[in-house]
Amino acid sequence: MQVPAPFTYERATSVEHAIALLGELGPEARVVAGGHSLIPMMKLRLARPDALVDINGLGAELAQIRVDGDDLVIGSLARHADLLGSAVAGEHFPIFHDAEKVIADPVVRNFGTVGGSLCQADPAEDLAAVFAALDGVATLRGPAGVRQVRVRELHVGPYETVLAPDELMLELRVAIRPGGGSAYEKVERRVGDYPVAAAGAAVWLDGDTVRDVGIGLTAVGAEHFAAPEAEAALRGQPATEESFRAAGQLAAEHCNPSADQRGPVDYKRHLAAELTTRALLRAAARARGQEA
Amino acid sequence: MEVTININGTPETHDVEPRLLLVHFIREKAGLRGTHWGCDTSNCGTCVVWLDGKPVKSCTVFAAMADGRSVRTVEGLEQGGKLDPVQEGFMECHGLQCGFCTPGMLMTSRALLDANPDPTETEIREAISGQLCRCTGYENIVRSVRWAAEKEASTEEVTA
Ligand SMILES: Cc1cc2nc3c(=O)[nH]c(=O)nc-3n(C[C@H](O)[C@H](O)[C@H](O)COP(=O)(O)OP(=O)(O)OC[C@H]3O[C@@H](n4cnc5c(N)ncnc54)[C@H](O)[C@@H]3O)c2cc1C
């Protein structure tokens, strides 16, 4: 039996209360949302928090998915299943539905949360690549107040984020801009597994020209889950398969996969190129209204 | 700490360590052994129960997190001495052999039919994709769920 080390348990009744509890309990206290990343790590004693602050009661404040002005806003406590089921998220950014269909399995998706995924900072987390492609912004709140951090600047390394121990992620924001399309492509060994490699793309077109583009990569050692060299090369180029293949090559050259039980380096690099290309093609087709 | 969980309509109050997992609360504290405990890594799905109406893997939730909430286990499927159509389907179509995965499969199947009374084979396979069965190759599980769907459709016609 896998038994976590002992800890004390507190239940937050509001965002303010959660932040106050984290402050009182000190740096070894951790937030628990779905617990589907944290609890497995506690069972293996890779994580040994002294105290857990349970935020599952804060759904009314933290689990909304809505449009606010020109932003899509996703609460940190929205479950994977909520995002997959959200018509408004899918309408503006089909990449969310592409990704959520292949994140874990339907039962895990009922409890794991969007914020938990991003705060876990697993180097193979799918949503990190999705938000990197969309250049989403996280709202964090600590005792000193609220700050906004681009998801591209949230992760400082494997399992490490810029969040202070007493900071809570409240929500994610993605700007809705006209002329856009987005898509996600993942290769996994079997249903419910983390990716061998995956790529997300968001494309904004002016006629047949790429006005702007975001590319996210996961599980292949891309810094901040992004491919800035490929993005820079693609901006202003014609939106053709040829340009997308060239961007895929650049993305693959600049990532840094490592060999593990999911595959060798050259295979993962090949996937980075191919999946980036396919995501760009599908994102562009969607931007043109040629694909749902 | 004291934890109260409403399990199949009955409140269960026990003094537990915060690190106690929900699956062990159900099995050891409430004494309901229908829910199985398998891989302990949220991969096999035999521990699936409903938490506030949604299937979750109870090996990956602390009992403390379910304090004040309601849980439905495989023992709660039977109503008024009558098996749930999903249970009947598993009997009729040999949806189990060793039976180890069955409690989780039943809970997920019941939730599927509540949300989607007429699922296709693909939808059934998708719904149970987070759960492992080593006996049936899933074929008979899919048939069992379809059997239950058809039974429910025909009963509804009769009552309508
Ligand atoms: C069987 C299985 C398969 C999986 N497959 C995939 C997959 O294919 N792709 C994939 O990307 N992921 C996968 N996952 C991971 C899953 O997406 C995450 O477990 C889950 O979404 C993390 O969210 P959580 O709410 O469970 O986080 P928790 O485990 O509760 O928390 C994770 C970390 O984030 C912190 N945290 C959580 N919420 C906040 C917040 N609001 N503010 C500050 N800190 C916070 C916690 O303190 C902890 O450090 C899988 C998990 C399982 C169990």
Side-chain angles (χ1 to χ4, degrees):
Chain A
M1 197 194 300
Q2 298 181 344
V3 185
F7 57 86
T8 57
Y9 171 90
E10 301 285 346
R11 190 175 279 196
T13 53
S14 66
V15 167
E16 294 75 15
H17 184 218
I19 294 164
L21 281 171
L22 289 169
E24 282 161 31
L25 294 165
E28 297 305 319
R30 297 284 279 280
V31 169
V32 63
H36 274 45
S37 291
L38 184 56
I39 295 174
M41 289 186 72
M42 289 171 68
K43 287 180 174 184
L44 298 169
R45 308 233 174 166
L46 292 171
R48 294 189 65 152
D50 287 349
L52 290 187
V53 174
D54 184 351
I55 59 169
N56 281 286
L58 310 186
E61 278 175 276
L62 295 184
Q64 308 297 322
I65 300 177
R66 62 181 208 281
V67 171
D68 174 26
D70 290 333
D71 288 342
L72 176 74
V73 184
I74 302 170
S76 64
L77 201 61
R79 313 280 162 182
H80 291 297
D82 298 335
L83 188 50
L84 181 57
S86 163
V88 68
E91 176 197 330
H92 293 291
F93 302 106
I95 187 173
F96 282 122
H97 287 185
D98 290 352
E100 285 294 2
K101 276 180 205 143
V102 290
I103 290 178
D105 61 63
V107 181
V108 168
R109 291 199 292 264
N110 278 340
F111 218 50
T113 65
V114 172
S117 277
L118 292 175
C119 293
Q120 177 67 13
D122 187 303
E125 209 78 50
D126 285 294
L127 287 183
V130 171
F131 281 100
L134 297 172
D135 202 4
V137 175
T139 305
L140 311 181
R141 179 159 165 197
V146 169
R147 61 175 174 142
Q148 312 274 345
V149 176
R150 288 171 74 200
V151 173
R152 289 185 174 210
E153 286 156 16
L154 188 73
H155 300 107
V156 291
Y159 308 104
E160 263 183 83
T161 67
V162 300
L163 268 79
D166 55 356
E167 238 173 351
L168 200 63
M169 181 180 285
L170 302 185
E171 62 187 28
L172 286 308
R173 281 180 177 264
V174 181
I176 301 168
R177 296 186 272 155
S182 61
Y184 195 68
E185 297 280 346
K186 168 172 170 173
V187 167
E188 56 186 356
R189 293 177 305 175
R190 54 165 196 277
V191 170
D193 198 15
Y194 285 90
V196 178
V203 174
W204 290 267
L205 300 179
D206 265 338
D208 281 324
T209 304
V210 177
R211 171 159 42 94
D212 198 7
V213 58
I215 298 172
L217 289 171
T218 191
V220 290
E223 205 178 338
H224 299 299
F225 298 93
E229 299 81 4
E231 293 166 351
L234 198 49
R235 278 190 199 105
Q237 296 296 308
T240 59
E241 175 157 357
E242 199 187 344
S243 339
F244 294 155
R245 290 228 165 263
Q249 283 305 329
L250 265 178
E253 278 163 32
H254 287 273
C255 70
N256 188 19
S258 29
D260 59 16
Q261 78 279 15
R262 290 192 177 83
V265 170
D266 55 348
Y267 173 51
K268 292 187 182 181
R269 216 183 273 286
H270 165 77
L271 286 179
E274 185 59 34
L275 298 178
T276 300
T277 307
R278 289 186 198 172
L280 285 166
L281 282 166
R282 201 135 63 93
R286 284 171 170 165
R288 294 186 178 107
Q290 291 164 348
E291 198 183 312
Chain B
M1 61 181 290
E2 195 176 85
V3 167
T4 301
I5 304 173
N6 188 312
I7 307 184
N8 305 325
T10 308
E12 286 282 348
T13 303
H14 298 277
D15 192 30
V16 304
E17 277 192 84
R19 60 178 168 168
L20 185 77
L21 295 164
L22 179 58
V23 64
H24 299 309
F25 185 96
I26 293 167
R27 287 175 55 86
E28 313 300 331
K29 300 291 172 185
L32 295 168
R33 303 296 178 100
T35 300
H36 289 168
W37 167 57
C39 70
D40 219 358
T41 58
S42 57
N43 282 290
C44 81
T46 193
C47 67
V48 169
V49 300
W50 291 11
L51 179 58
D52 286 346
K54 294 218 172 104
V56 300
K57 293 182 176 177
S58 62
C59 77
T60 310
V61 178
F62 290 119
M65 294 163 74
D67 187 20
R69 301 172 72 174
S70 56
V71 162
R72 188 179 186 195
T73 70
V74 67
E75 289 90 346
L77 283 179
E78 182 189 312
Q79 302 283 329
K82 277 192 64 184
L83 292 181
D84 188 277
V86 168
Q87 292 173 301
E88 281 185 83
F90 273 65
M91 278 171 62
E92 291 295 328
C93 304
H94 301 278
L96 63 143
Q97 187 175 318
C98 85
F100 193 71
C101 71
T102 312
M105 289 291 181
L106 290 172
M107 297 316 290
T108 309
S109 303
R110 183 65 265 158
L112 170 67
L113 292 183
D114 286 350
N116 176 3
D118 188 23
T120 62
E121 170 171 349
T122 310
E123 287 167 338
I124 297 169
R125 287 183 184 273
E126 162 68 13
I128 59 170
S129 61
Q131 285 155 268
L132 297 176
C133 172
R134 290 300 189 223
C135 302
T136 63
Y138 307 96
E139 289 294 328
N140 285 353
I141 295 180
V142 173
R143 283 190 199 120
S144 305
V145 179
R146 276 304 316 166
W147 188 96
E150 277 153 32
K151 160 136 193 199
E152 287 178 350
S154 64
T155 344
E156 252 164 51
E157 264 166 41
V158 174
T159 46

